[in-house]
Amino acid sequence: QVQLQESGPGLVKPSETLSLTCTVSGGSISVHYWSWIRQSPEKGLESIGFISYSGSTNYNPSLKSRVTISVDKSKNQFSLKLTSVTAADTAVYYCARGGLVVDDAFDVWGQGTMVTVSS
Amino acid sequence: DIQMTQSPSSLSASVGDRVAITCRASQSISTHLHWYQQSPGKAPKLLIQSVSNLQRGVPSRFSGSGSGTEFTLTISDLQPEDFATYYCQQSYTTPMHSFGQGTKLEI
């Protein structure tokens, strides 16, 4: 049974870089699409972007200039970097598994990690 | 961008009731519509994929229908564990797999 676990700092200062890692257990990261999604009271659930099993990425246009998603197959992990954060980036961040094709649903989610942007 | 609008935003019901939640897309999304359930403090859980395909382990009292721009999640014989927030999500456009704003189902 595939499980996902997010890790990273819970507090990030404004203008700095938010970095999170998602560790995949019980399955290979070399299959499926892998996504980051965040949730805040203001914006609800928001897709940040995804990385495919081939390493290609696709980002939410509203965040594209600040986002990088990468994968480390040797560690079965994928990561999120969001630069120049502001209070508007405060949210619960989830990693999630997509399907074998890009338009499949997110069928496995991490438990989520709260990230607060504050000085 | 495709906007997803759910109605109602909140819904009160009782155990044993049948309820329906509607999700409307701002343009046609064919059958690229999925439903999630989220309990407080938990991650969303996929219930139904591609309009009507129940995920393994999801009770048959959950069902989905629709196509194009209007979709419905129906829950029959409500159980105590069904009181949660429900979200629809479209995957017709990438990477903006946009979600609805949620429907909170309360006792």
Side-chain angles (χ1 to χ4, degrees):
Chain A
Q1 179 180 352
V2 175
Q3 293 184 312
L4 307 182
Q5 178 68 59
E6 304 90 351
S7 59
L11 181 63
V12 182
K13 290 182 168 56
S15 79
E16 296 191 343
T17 297
L18 180 161
S19 296
L20 296 174
T21 296
C22 182
T23 301
V24 179
S25 59
S28 173
I29 202 168
S30 296
V31 190
H32 293 272
Y33 284 77
W34 304 93
S35 294
W36 287 98
I37 298 156
R38 67 183 183 180
Q39 185 174 30
S40 65
E42 296 77 23
K43 291 190 176 181
L45 287 161
E46 181 182 29
S47 291
I48 298 171
F50 62 79
I51 188 164
S52 74
Y53 44 82
S54 64
S56 63
T57 54
N58 214 328
Y59 303 132
N60 183 328
S62 69
L63 300 170
K64 187 174 183 178
S65 64
R66 300 193 290 130
V67 172
T68 303
I69 297 176
S70 59
V71 65
D72 186 337
K73 293 183 180 180
S74 67
K75 295 182 179 178
N76 232 33
Q77 295 175 334
F78 64 106
S79 299
L80 168 71
K81 289 190 186 301
L82 182 64
T83 62
S84 304
V85 297
T86 69
D89 295 309
T90 294
V92 177
Y93 284 75
Y94 295 100
C95 57
R97 186 181 80 169
L100 299 177
V101 294
V102 69
D103 57 358
D104 278 345
F106 304 118
D107 66 343
V108 182
W109 294 62
Q111 65 184 25
T113 187
M114 179 70 204
V115 177
T116 301
V117 178
S118 174
S119 56
Chain B
D1 297 355
I2 297 179
Q3 308 302 318
M4 306 300 293
T5 304
Q6 290 181 232
S7 59
S9 295
S10 63
L11 179 58
S12 294
S14 301
V15 173
D17 283 354
R18 174 187 174 101
V19 299
I21 298 169
T22 298
C23 177
R24 289 187 175 87
S26 59
Q27 66 184 72
S28 177
I29 56 171
S30 184
T31 59
H32 294 78
L33 190 282
H34 321 295
W35 290 99
Y36 299 84
Q37 175 194 63
Q38 186 177 34
S39 297
K42 301 287 189 180
K45 170 189 172 184
L46 179 63
L47 294 177
I48 292 175
Q49 181 163 211
S50 301
V51 178
S52 59
N53 297 308
L54 243 61
Q55 286 297 102
R56 188 176 299 178
V58 174
S60 59
R61 62 180 180 272
F62 291 89
S63 63
S65 62
S67 68
T69 62
E70 187 158 333
F71 305 87
T72 301
L73 171 68
T74 302
I75 314 171
S76 57
D77 189 23
L78 274 171
Q79 297 301 300
E81 59 268 27
D82 299 338
F83 293 93
T85 301
Y86 292 85
Y87 294 92
C88 61
Q89 177 235 331
Q90 65 83 16
S91 58
Y92 187 76
T93 58
T94 60
M96 287 294 292
H97 288 182
S98 45
F99 293 83
Q101 82 279 15
T103 295
K104 187 174 184 179
L105 178 55
E106 300 174 297
I107 299 177

